[in-house]
Amino acid sequence: MKTLILAEKPSVARDMARVLKCQRVNKHFIEGDRYLVTWALGHLIELKMPEEYDIRYKTWRLEDLPVIPKKMETKPIRQTSAQFHAIKKLSGRADLKDLVIATDAGREGELVARWIIEKIHWRKPVRRLWISSQTDKAIHEGFRNLKPAEAYNNLYKSAVCRSEADWLIGLNISRALTTKYNDSLSAGRVQTPTLSMIIHQEKKIKAFHPQPFWTISAAVGSFTATWQNGSQTRILNQDRANKIIQKLSGKKATVRHVMTKKKTERQPLLYDLTELQRDANRKFGYSARKTLNILQVLYERYKIVTYPRTDSRYLTKDIEPTMRERLKAILSAYSGEVRPILHKKNTHVRASFVFNDRKVGDHHALIPTEEPVFIQDLSEDEVHVYDLIIRRFLSIFYPERTYMQMRAELSSSGETLVINQTLETDPGFTVLSHNHRNEVNQPADTLKQGDELPVLDLRIHHKMTEPPARLSEADLLTKMEKFGLGTPATRADIIEKLIQSESIRRESGGRLAPTSKGQQLIQLVNPDLKSPDLTARWERELENIARGSGNPDHFMKEIRNQTKQFVQEVRTSDNTYKIQNLTEKKCPQCGSPMKESRARDGGRILICINRACHYRKRMDPKLSNHRCPHCHKKMEIHKGKAGAYFQCRTCGIVEKAENIGKKINKRETRRLMNKINNKNGSFSNSLEDALKAAMKKEQE
């Protein structure tokens, strides 16, 4: 008898099949003597749409809302139905004794598997594989410690509640707004309060009025001092600043008080997903989604980091014995930083506070696995993200930073000058920083109470108060985390959804700004829906359900009642709305006005505002995957009298499409090689030899 293993992605399934010695490859599964490994393609099952409950919902009408089915039903996703039916067929095999859920170890992964299991009517025993990395060692250990699926029932209930709540709130409110105001308007349980925070920041910027102020600095001995009055260093009147300068010119300052403190800075906590996304955004300008995508590659393909979608910055105590192996795995890429640690008999973690079992939920913090890293195989972006994780990990093996903080107050002509000086005594873990400097700025002399020093080089600095900046993704992630909006795994998608729906836009520098559409949208919804408080409370209830202390039925009853209230308020609202980017052009099919919008590739498109019409026309040429030979950017593809041709938008270079030889990509190469290596393959020896020779030549 065999065990059916359900993985989430084909790449993960192939790794598990290799570790479990399954070698017979089929289009939909890989089989061995003891195991049969199959996979989902992300989600294979989804919630039914309203029209699948009642055909009248196919036409959007405000009077038909809200749509609240008595029981939410699921269906196979059409685009991936072939894989679902293959799994269903497999499940009927008489030689299968049980099933192992091997999808991602998290709420979403649990939902992927459970919905499939329900839909194929599986009745045999089910167990759960729960691992935090995809290394061979982790897979072996995970299969030796399989848990009963019932242990994760509460996690599944939480996932179902989240999915159904998002369907009820998001679908009904979006349909209500769209039909009421005749524009594609998207609202949701998490995305609307997130949009509200961006708009709130915009209001603060617009309400800001710049004010001038002045500061004064002076050279006192070998130190630089700043004029200060109490805690205030700003002078709001230029005449007063000039008078202070006159009082201090040519005078001496007496040291009134000197205070020196020894201070320490402890090592930072390890990364969870949100903290990593923040740092990657600040340092490299990466979007939250880009960081997550890179992290998934490091986890799934290279297997050199642990589970990405974690919300913990701590480790469990049982991880400590594995530290030496993890350090050895990164030795080739971080020799200078790792060797001093490995030379010690005991691989001692100095930041012992990172070990806290109570602060680890489903997964511990992001750290390297025991899999050796080959840094040259990684792309530049992958190296950037991996380097952040490794340097944060290494910091827990280094000592705290210690420094001396000196503050001196000096008096001259009734005014106060303050000197602040930081003296590095031990850089500790900060030596791991790329911008760390070994030299220490030591003072030319020391200060003691009663010393008199000349006041020289007095300067007035004219400045203006600056408005608050628009939120970066790092700022927004911080706010979302603070108010409990979404989870580390979903926050990136929420931001992208707001951009795709044209409620916000990314500006140069990566800052997020609301559009006219977004600013109007936030005025059309219930205040509770745009407040983070209600959504944060819902998220806490979902977490309680996952832990077994929450009530799913009570939660969904509240969601249903809230949905009815939100829709009723849209129906009776007297708010007005102006369609964004409306043009003077008319639809050639129905004569309705057309609005300008953006396609996914950034190109402009014209869309008929009549939702029953569906007419759209592209204004900009499509971007192809063909790269400009000069600047290497993607080239536009055009159709001319002589046929299709490529043109670089940046350089203006033009190339005929038929003159571009089709290059085989990596995916096609793998597919062909699999056919070649398959004993039942239909390739002739001559084709096999020719393909292998061509690939060898390209590699050389």
Side-chain angles (χ1 to χ4, degrees), residues 622-628 632-635 637 646:
K622 286 186 178 181
L623 285 176
S624 71
N625 286 325
H626 182 62
R627 299 280 180 174
C628 171
H632 306 295
K633 292 182 179 179
K634 289 184 177 182
M635 300 179 77
I637 187 164
F646 297 115

Side-chain angles (χ1 to χ4, degrees), residues 495-509:
I495 296 172
E496 293 301 323
K497 184 178 283 189
L498 287 170
I499 292 170
Q500 290 169 11
S501 66
E502 298 181 315
S503 294
I504 65 173
R505 65 179 182 272
R506 276 196 188 97
E507 298 203 319
S508 57

Side-chain angles (χ1 to χ4, degrees), residues 254-271:
T254 303
V255 178
R256 192 168 62 206
H257 178 68
V258 179
M259 182 175 63
T260 303
K261 283 187 178 180
K262 182 179 180 181
K263 293 194 173 183
T264 60
E265 179 186 352
R266 81 174 192 175
Q267 304 88 338
L269 288 170
L270 297 165
Y271 279 123

Side-chain angles (χ1 to χ4, degrees), residues 294-320:
I294 292 170
L295 204 50
Q296 285 292 142
V297 173
L298 296 176
Y299 171 69
E300 291 178 7
R301 183 192 302 173
Y302 299 111
K303 305 172 184 43
I304 54 178
V305 299
T306 54
Y307 185 72
R309 298 166 185 256
T310 178
D311 60 356
S312 177
R313 301 183 64 188
Y314 293 85
L315 301 173
T316 51
K317 197 69 178 172
D318 61 339
I319 297 293
E320 192 166 11

Side-chain angles (χ1 to χ4, degrees), residues 157-266:
K157 291 175 184 176
S158 173
V160 171
C161 286
R162 183 205 59 79
S163 185
E164 292 184 358
D166 287 345
W167 191 99
L168 289 167
I169 296 285
L171 183 143
N172 279 290
I173 306 307
S174 296
R175 284 197 175 198
L177 292 169
T178 297
T179 52
K180 173 88 172 182
Y181 300 106
N182 197 33
D183 194 14
S184 178
L185 296 172
S186 176
R189 187 179 61 89
V190 179
Q191 72 180 75
T192 303
T194 303
L195 170 63
S196 179
M197 291 191 295
I198 296 171
I199 290 175
H200 178 69
Q201 185 75 1
E202 192 72 12
K203 288 180 178 178
K204 285 166 61 177
I205 294 169
K206 288 185 177 178
F208 177 82
H209 297 288
Q211 299 291 333
F213 68 94
W214 292 262
T215 62
I216 295 174
S217 67
V220 181
S222 61
F223 298 94
T224 299
T226 303
W227 175 90
Q228 197 163 314
N229 181 18
S231 61
Q232 184 59 257
T233 60
R234 294 182 178 185
I235 304 166
L236 303 181
N237 183 287
Q238 187 175 11
D239 290 339
R240 187 185 173 206
N242 290 330
K243 288 177 181 178
I244 293 171
I245 289 288
Q246 291 171 6
K247 287 173 69 177
L248 295 175
S249 294
K251 300 296 193 319
K252 288 187 176 183
T254 303
V255 178
R256 192 168 62 206
H257 178 68
V258 179
M259 182 175 63
T260 303
K261 283 187 178 180
K262 182 179 180 181
K263 293 194 173 183
T264 60
E265 179 186 352
R266 81 174 192 175

